[in-house]
Amino acid sequence: MASPKIGLALGSGVARGWAHIGVLQALEQNGIVPDIICGTSIGALVGGAYLANHLQTLADWAMSLNRMRLVRYLDVQFGGGGLIAGRRLTALLQENLQGIAIESLKKPFVAVTTELSTGHEYWVQKGSLVDALRASYALPGVFAPVQIDSRWLVDGALVNPVPVSVCRALGARLVIAVNLNADVFGKSRVSGAKPGDKGTSYAEEPGLEALTGRPGNIVMRQLFGHDKSGPSMFSVMVGSLNIIQDRLSRSRLAGDPPDVVVAPRLGNIGLLEFHRAEEAIAEGILAVERAMPGMKDALAVLST
């Protein structure tokens, strides 16, 4: 019997998105290879790297991160449409993916973005893979918008955090959705600690003075640190986006439910804790194993 065309919808979730790496690894280990991949934000980043045969490269880099190394990628700017210039991250992407067009990937791929001028959902399905990924993870206020096809584009999480509808539009018969926000209600949206806890401060990392030019740089502390008055500017911006994507995910998944949901338990991992990739990847693998019985049932039902 022929297997149904499988669509994989990789959702947004900032640092929790490293779980997508484990999901893709576990699916392959179980003989399930998606025919279509659609991703939003970090879901687009991981999905694009996978189709470009650089998933292991991304995994190795993610697991090499610590807080100090992460700080080095935070090239802060004032003006230009975003708090972080993103030049160092872009250079890293270009080092591995430069010259790759979406049309040349081994399977159909869509990076979900939001058109800034209209608020419309915009699917990037052709052209530079690096530009598409940058646009899909361009958190408003954090990264500058990216111009593609004469449109200024920002993070797709504003309109479609888990792109089930995109997979169906591309002809997927069986849609597997990876929802990174299924386990976060009532837990800290930024640091991974309980509400009211002090949380994580990149501004207090050893060696930060060498990056900022002088000890106790007040700008870096205001942007990424915390004090008794509350969370940092960066935490508020990212946490606010997480509220939007959480609420929107629930609404869209209820209206257009996937056939299978993979729900990594990531409530203990904060949105900015990119240095915890090993834990997130491991949980992605476990989430697939938990979902595998339902996935096999769905494959059996939809096979013709």
Side-chain angles (χ1 to χ4, degrees):
M1 296 194 301
S3 297
K5 183 178 288 188
I6 299 173
L8 181 62
L10 300 176
S12 57
V14 202
R16 294 169 183 145
W18 296 141
H20 289 314
I21 297 173
V23 168
L24 284 161
Q25 292 173 342
L27 288 175
E28 282 204 341
Q29 289 169 2
N30 283 277
I32 297 175
V33 180
D35 300 290
I36 297 164
I37 293 182
C38 301
T40 298
S41 197
I42 197 165
L45 174 64
V46 176
Y50 169 77
L51 291 177
N53 297 315
H54 279 281
L55 185 67
Q56 190 57 51
T57 303
L58 180 62
D60 291 341
W61 177 77
M63 288 190 290
S64 75
L65 287 175
N66 54 38
R67 292 175 181 169
M68 192 61 230
R69 290 195 67 186
L70 182 59
V71 167
R72 294 182 184 276
Y73 287 98
L74 303 180
D75 45 352
V76 176
Q77 65 177 6
F78 297 95
L83 182 63
I84 297 174
R87 288 184 291 269
R88 296 167 188 167
L89 291 172
T90 299
L92 188 65
L93 285 176
Q94 290 176 337
E95 181 181 332
N96 294 283
L97 305 176
Q98 188 171 19
I100 298 178
I102 294 175
E103 307 95 291
S104 69
L105 297 176
K106 57 187 178 182
K107 300 287 177 65
F109 172 72
V110 171
V112 178
T113 69
T114 304
E115 187 176 9
L116 188 59
S117 62
T118 64
H120 291 168
E121 184 174 338
Y122 187 73
W123 304 347
V124 184
Q125 306 177 68
K126 61 181 181 179
S128 166
L129 177 61
V130 170
D131 288 348
L133 302 184
R134 288 175 55 228
S136 192
Y137 69 63
L139 279 72
V142 178
F143 293 106
V146 176
Q147 190 174 36
I148 297 178
D149 298 333
S150 301
R151 295 176 169 87
W152 286 105
L153 305 175
V154 295
D155 199 317
L158 294 173
V159 289
N160 198 349
V162 187
V164 171
S165 58
V166 189
C167 289
R168 294 206 188 280
L170 268 62
R173 173 77 167 143
L174 170 65
V175 177
I176 301 169
V178 185
N179 181 8
L180 303 177
N181 298 297
D183 184 46
V184 299
F185 182 75
K187 300 177 182 178
S188 174
R189 300 181 186 277
V190 177
S191 69
K194 295 179 181 179
D197 285 357
K198 184 178 180 182
T200 299
S201 173
Y202 292 105
E204 294 181 355
E205 287 304 308
L208 182 66
E209 292 82 358
L211 298 177
T212 59
R214 60 183 183 273
N217 184 283
I218 190 170
V219 174
M220 291 294 286
R221 290 189 179 278
Q222 287 176 338
L223 295 179
F224 303 108
H226 55 249
D227 55 33
K228 295 179 180 179
S229 65
S232 69
M233 180 189 301
F234 192 70
S235 295
V236 170
M237 293 165 70
V238 176
S240 297
L241 178 64
N242 189 59
I243 293 171
I244 294 171
Q245 69 181 7
D246 179 28
R247 298 296 176 177
L248 188 54
S249 293
R250 297 185 197 197
S251 175
R252 294 204 62 153
L253 291 176
D256 189 7
D259 301 293
V260 178
V261 176
V262 177
R265 295 168 182 169
L266 302 166
N268 64 314
I269 296 179
L271 290 172
L272 306 179
E273 294 180 329
F274 288 95
H275 58 285
R276 298 177 65 184
E278 187 172 357
E279 298 170 63
I281 292 170
E283 179 51 35
I285 294 171
L286 290 174
V288 170
E289 297 303 324
R290 291 193 295 268
M292 192 53 60
M295 207 175 300
K296 290 180 177 178
D297 288 345
L299 281 167
V301 170
L302 295 174
S303 296
T304 57

